[in-house]
Amino acid sequence: MTLLHLPDELQRVINRQVAEGRAVSAAAFLEEAVMRLVEDSAAEEADIRAAVTAGDADMEAGRYRAIATPAEERQLVDDLMARVRAGLSGEG
């Protein structure tokens, strides 16, 4: 078993969780925390991969906009903000 040194504040947080019955031991708390981190990271990676796949499909289908000048960039931002505002107001 590996000995792990934690900052005092983190150790207090873990001890409080155990004392409040949210974990049966410090080891169990840390195991659960690490597993959640791994699961969250995997889910985030899957979301990124899905977004990339969707972006690739859009590009292959010609659904993209080339931006070559600062004016085109400003126009893109303005268009996106208009879409966001419309979505927030229920118009989109």
Side-chain angles (χ1 to χ4, degrees):
M1 177 167 223
T2 303
L3 182 61
L4 183 63
H5 295 282
L6 300 171
D8 291 341
E9 179 59 27
L10 186 54
Q11 188 63 55
R12 282 192 291 276
V13 168
I14 295 168
N15 291 342
R16 190 175 327 115
Q17 296 296 313
V18 172
E20 292 173 0
R22 294 191 177 131
V24 297
S25 67
F29 177 85
L30 289 171
E31 182 178 340
E32 175 71 19
V34 170
M35 290 308 299
R36 284 186 183 188
L37 177 63
V38 169
E39 290 167 2
D40 289 352
S41 295
E44 185 176 305
E45 183 177 329
D47 290 347
I48 291 169
R49 288 182 188 278
V52 168
T53 299
D56 286 345
D58 281 344
M59 289 181 67
E60 287 178 15
R63 293 184 301 265
Y64 66 92
R65 190 165 164 184
I67 304 297
T69 68
E72 290 174 340
E73 180 181 0
R74 278 191 303 277
Q75 185 61 53
L76 174 65
V77 170
D78 291 345
D79 293 349
L80 289 171
M81 290 307 297
R83 287 173 54 192
V84 168
R85 285 187 200 100
L88 291 174
S89 69
E91 297 172 15

